[in-house]
Amino acid sequence: MNIDSRIHERSITYHGIYRTHDPIAHFTVRIKVWRPGIIVNPETVESPEESATKQRRRKRTASAGGRSLDFSRDFQNIQTQKCDTLRVKWQEKILSWGEVLRYGSQAGPEAAKSDSSYYALAQKRLEKAGSNFTQLIFTYVDQDVECDAFRRKNQYSSPLLKSIPKSNIVSSKDHSLSESSRESDDSSTREELMLIMADFSPRNTDESRVTPVLLCAVSFDPRRKVISVKPDFSSSGEYYPVKSPSGELFHYCLELESHLKSPLEILKDSRLLNEVCRHHHEGISSITGEEFEKPLNPDHCRFHFHGLILDACKFNARWISVRYLLNAPEGWKSNEEIVYGATQWSSVSSRGKAQFCLPISADLSFNSSYECRAPRLFFQVMSLDWWGCQRTEGYGWIAVPLTPGRYDVTVKTWRVLFPTFQAEMRRFFLAASTPFADVRAIVDPSLNGSKAHCWSRYGFQTITAGEIRLQLDVVTQESSFGLSLLTSRAGVDDALHKSIEIVLEAFRKARSRMYEARLKLNQTVVE
Amino acid sequence: MKIVFYFGGYRNADSFPIFLNLFPVCFMQIFYCHSVQMAELHLIGQLVGAIDFSSGSCLFCKWSVSAGGSWRLLGGAESGQTQTAAGTMVTGSESGQWFWSHPIDVHYATKGVQGWPKLMCQVFHLDLHGRCVLEGYGVTHFPASPGLHQVTIPCWKPCSGSLKDQLVKTFLGGSVVLRNPQMAAGPEDRYKLKTSGSGSVLVEINVISRHFNKFGVHLG
């Protein structure tokens, strides 16, 4: 009996609902109760009958082999460890020890009809087990008063029934009348209930003090042919915990022994599931439309990014604002002519932080035949002083990440330091500072009027400015996603993907040429 | 109570012949290939709380979720308001922290990636006289990549420019608000505003995407 790691606990709140066309009499459930830690694997737990027959078999083999083995001790061991296995059929009455004593003793004329039938059961039990009654599990069937009490207590009805409204929305009939007729209808086709209980108390306790523990409640709706089981049947390796009134922990599992579904029913159900799924997808596509947005050009990749300019810090100014500009290199196309904008003027807090929270977004497409160069985001931080003068506080740029995902980016900025003291004074007092006509010039010198082939920043003094924090989300869409999906499934690389495209293109060209030739031939024949 | 439905007979998988069990599964997969499935996005999470707001002991947040034209809301509330939370001041600083743990659960279907869903929040302070004073506007895009994300939204509030407004604010309380709060969600006309940063709203979001791969969209 080693500890099996596959076994795990399952929440007792699971509720199983099953539909069946099989007669309910075929319903059989197997319950195993054991104390944790001692018998871990429920598969090894045998019912007393099973173990008894095994014993007999073993004894026979033992006597044949001439070996004497003490099997009874093994059996006793299981019994004292308080474990029990039982097969229960639908509405099969299994008496508890208390009931055996109660029904076994009184069988007079005052006993009810059900009691008289239980008398026979109790007698049988007493004969069989005698005083050595070790069974934990017993049942309450539909006609028992305990079942009625349970029903009243829990207002027990299957969730399927609950979902159906009590009266029609539009009803011309008298409400009270329809309600009473419904009640009578309910009583004729009400749910049948069966409770599987356990009695963990020692055998010598008084019956009035025994508090049985509910293991499982099974109900059957004959009209809808729905069985609801609470808790649900546990699959292999799963168990439910239960505590005895004395606080001892037990584990139990429930297994369905009968086949509630025929293969035809399984097929029917899966068809139903497919229908449900199809309806779901049809519903969605009827709302959104069936065509997903494609890149503008079939041989373009789509590149979408959205983000936020969160905040800027370490700037030495009273008010600051960030201006941004997206520069898409050759090969990139944008829906909008130019993507740019500016944040509000935000006051710099005592901690040197200015919060903007400005959303930016761009939708670009990229022609894969060009050399891949990332689009760039340029930033210019402006400051505003008390007099309303604007100064450039910093320049910065980033290359937009090309792979999809979320990015937290910090843009470091710098500003030009003027070579002379006078120029700095001019900047301070008059805000006279326009080193770049175009912010893109900080990367591309040709935009600043420079005709130099190679841009040297020699002799160009800058001073460190603050930082801008960005948040970017990048989403990409492939150009020919139908084909790409195929190739990715087959594990074919990009090169093969391209070669397939080339072959397809050649085929298309050849076909169009053939059509032309055929047309020409037709014309010459006509002429 | 959790209700579990079993439509197929897979529960008793070992009790049936193998081919009978496999058959419905194969059938289902063939079927799936032919139905149209649009991309879906689940955004499940919570407005955790707020930090760094300097004034106000009681804060609440009005939030709304918006998305572009190609997005359709399938389920969940698009807007809501949190409870009013009395915050605790962090020792040694002027700021405090407020927790709302307000759930957000929206389900979108889409036919395009443009107009990715955004979360907009407006934080208010409930003062002693029962007035709602604006503490900040904030907006964020929901993360595109699936998974759990901790998002911080820096908030700002408009500054009253004139001396008179400032005097009124100092002595009578209250705040300047945007005529159209939706303006805070977009980048347009921001340059006309003068604002000051207030605090940050913390959001925790789980992103679950579905069928985006089918259309060649990579979310990362």
Side-chain angles (χ1 to χ4, degrees), chain A residues 476-487:
Chain A
T476 58
Q477 188 179 16
E478 285 165 43
S479 46
S480 47
F481 48 79
L483 195 64
S484 70
L485 194 70
L486 256 175
T487 50

Side-chain angles (χ1 to χ4, degrees), chain A residues 422-495:
Chain A
Q422 281 174 344
E424 269 300 305
M425 283 292 117
R426 217 175 289 139
R427 180 183 179 275
F428 185 79
F429 287 109
L430 302 172
S433 59
T434 48
F436 297 112
D438 190 331
V439 68
R440 286 174 290 181
I442 62 172
V443 173
D444 192 354
S446 63
L447 288 164
N448 207 29
S450 162
K451 293 205 166 54
H453 181 66
C454 169
W455 190 36
S456 161
R457 287 190 184 178
Y458 182 71
F460 186 66
Q461 271 194 344
T462 62
I463 188 165
T464 310
E467 290 169 358
I468 309 166
R469 279 206 313 138
L470 289 182
Q471 189 184 75
L472 282 179
D473 273 300
V474 176
V475 176
T476 58
Q477 188 179 16
E478 285 165 43
S479 46
S480 47
F481 48 79
L483 195 64
S484 70
L485 194 70
L486 256 175
T487 50
S488 67
R489 263 193 197 160
V492 185
D493 60 346
D494 275 1

Side-chain angles (χ1 to χ4, degrees), chain A residues 293 345 347 355 476 478, chain B residues 7 11 28 111 155 195 218:
Chain A
E293 274 176 26
W345 290 104
S347 71
Q355 299 189 158
T476 58
E478 285 165 43
Chain B
F7 286 96
R11 173 135 281 252
M28 199 157 71
K111 58 168 182 172
C155 294
T195 67
H218 298 291

Side-chain angles (χ1 to χ4, degrees), chain B:
Chain B
M1 184 177 69
K2 192 173 179 183
I3 301 168
V4 182
F5 283 89
Y6 290 105
F7 286 96
Y10 314 115
R11 173 135 281 252
N12 274 356
D14 45 359
S15 61
F16 285 107
I18 289 166
F19 68 92
L20 279 177
N21 266 317
L22 284 179
F23 181 49
V25 179
C26 302
F27 182 77
M28 199 157 71
Q29 292 208 331
I30 293 161
F31 203 92
Y32 264 26
C33 295
H34 288 95
S35 64
V36 185
Q37 300 154 318
M38 294 312 284
E40 290 171 55
L41 192 76
H42 285 273
L43 303 164
I44 304 162
Q46 55 174 316
L47 271 169
V48 177
I51 49 164
D52 291 344
F53 282 91
S54 54
S55 64
S57 60
C58 292
L59 291 184
F60 67 90
C61 176
K62 280 184 184 175
W63 60 271
S64 63
V65 179
S66 60
S70 49
W71 295 72
R72 294 283 181 275
L73 187 79
L74 293 184
E78 262 191 310
S79 61
Q81 185 177 325
T82 68
Q83 75 275 21
T84 312
T88 53
M89 298 310 269
V90 177
T91 46
S93 76
E94 284 178 13
S95 61
Q97 49 190 16
W98 294 259
F99 293 120
W100 297 308
S101 300
H102 188 90
I104 298 172
D105 187 349
V106 280
H107 180 193
Y108 277 106
T110 182
K111 58 168 182 172
V113 289
Q114 257 189 313
W116 197 268
K118 273 193 274 194
L119 174 73
M120 196 215 155
C121 51
Q122 304 171 50
V123 182
F124 290 93
H125 158 221
L126 191 71
D127 73 1
L128 287 171
H129 311 286
R131 288 179 303 182
C132 298
V133 183
L134 181 87
E135 279 294 324
Y137 295 106
V139 70
T140 190
H141 287 280
F142 281 107
S145 51
L148 175 69
H149 299 269
Q150 316 263 0
V151 184
T152 309
I153 311 173
C155 294
W156 51 269
K157 58 182 173 184
C159 275
S160 44
S162 70
L163 192 70
K164 186 190 147 202
D165 284 348
Q166 280 181 9
L167 276 173
V168 166
K169 202 193 158 196
T170 316
F171 290 107
L172 298 177
S175 60
V176 191
V177 294
L178 295 180
R179 191 167 287 152
N180 176 19
Q182 285 304 312
M183 192 204 141
E188 298 84 22
D189 293 341
R190 279 277 187 99
Y191 64 92
K192 294 175 185 169
L193 278 174
K194 268 188 163 183
T195 67
S196 64
S198 44
S200 297
V201 173
L202 308 176
V203 186
E204 217 174 74
I205 284 288
N206 277 294
V207 180
I208 304 166
S209 65
R210 195 180 184 202
H211 301 317
F212 275 95
N213 268 351
K214 246 184 77 182
F215 305 102
V217 178
H218 298 291
L219 302 177

